[in-house]
Each structure stands twice: as structure tokens, then as C-alpha cells.
Amino acid sequence: MLARVIPLRRLPSALSVLDYIVPAELENSIKPLQLVEIPLQKHTVFGIVDAVIPGSASNPKIKSLLALASREPVLSPRHLQFIKDTALWYHTP
């Protein structure tokens, strides 16, 4: 299972959404709009799950999520869409 995660750190536009492997122990509890901890370069940062994609990952370069930082969604779908629209309008990730 893969999770599409929006890192809460300013990155180039091409890297505004990253894929991570969901560990087996988190597969039953991960949902979109949750706050998660992800590895990014040599740091651990927070990110928001944009989507959960069922299936297995075949690319060995994809890193794994570290942990869930929240059990409940931290944004509503409406708020996330507003943030995406604003980022598109201002050409920022």
C-alpha cells in the first residue's frame, strides 16, 4: 500500500506530493488527511496524507512512512482543496 503525502516543508513544485510505503502495522489505521511523520533527505518532517493507494510498491527506492502523528484527520477535504487551489494560484507547492 502506498500513501501520497504532502510534506509540510517548502519544496520545488515537482516534489509537492511524494509517495511513501505504508508499513503493515499502519495499513488498517491510515486515512487521507491524517498527519504523518516522513523521512525527507536526512530529516524527519511532518506531512499530510493526500491519498491512500491500495496495492504493493514495486520500486525499492520508495521510503516508508515513519509514524502516524494523529489518528484523526487534521484538515477537512474542503480546507485541503482550498490550500491546493491557493498554491496553484500563487505558483507555490
Side-chain angles (χ1 to χ4, degrees), residues 4-90:
R4 289 239 156 105
V5 178
I6 303 167
L8 298 180
R9 175 171 280 193
R10 187 165 211 166
L11 297 171
S13 296
L15 299 175
S16 61
V17 178
L18 303 172
D19 290 342
Y20 287 91
I21 296 173
V22 178
E25 63 269 10
L26 298 178
E27 284 186 358
N28 294 329
S29 57
I30 193 161
K31 297 177 277 192
L33 305 173
Q34 284 180 316
L35 191 66
V36 293
E37 291 181 37
I38 55 172
L40 188 64
Q41 295 177 336
K42 296 180 181 180
H43 304 283
T44 299
V45 298
F46 290 107
I48 301 219
V49 178
D50 187 33
V52 178
I53 305 164
S56 61
S58 59
N59 189 344
K61 292 183 180 182
I62 297 177
K63 295 182 180 180
S64 180
L65 287 175
L66 300 176
L68 287 177
S70 71
R71 293 281 175 197
E72 296 300 318
V74 293
L75 293 173
S76 71
R78 190 170 150 213
H79 286 121
L80 182 61
Q81 189 58 50
F82 173 75
I83 292 168
K84 287 180 180 181
D85 291 344
T86 304
L88 185 64
W89 179 265
Y90 288 104

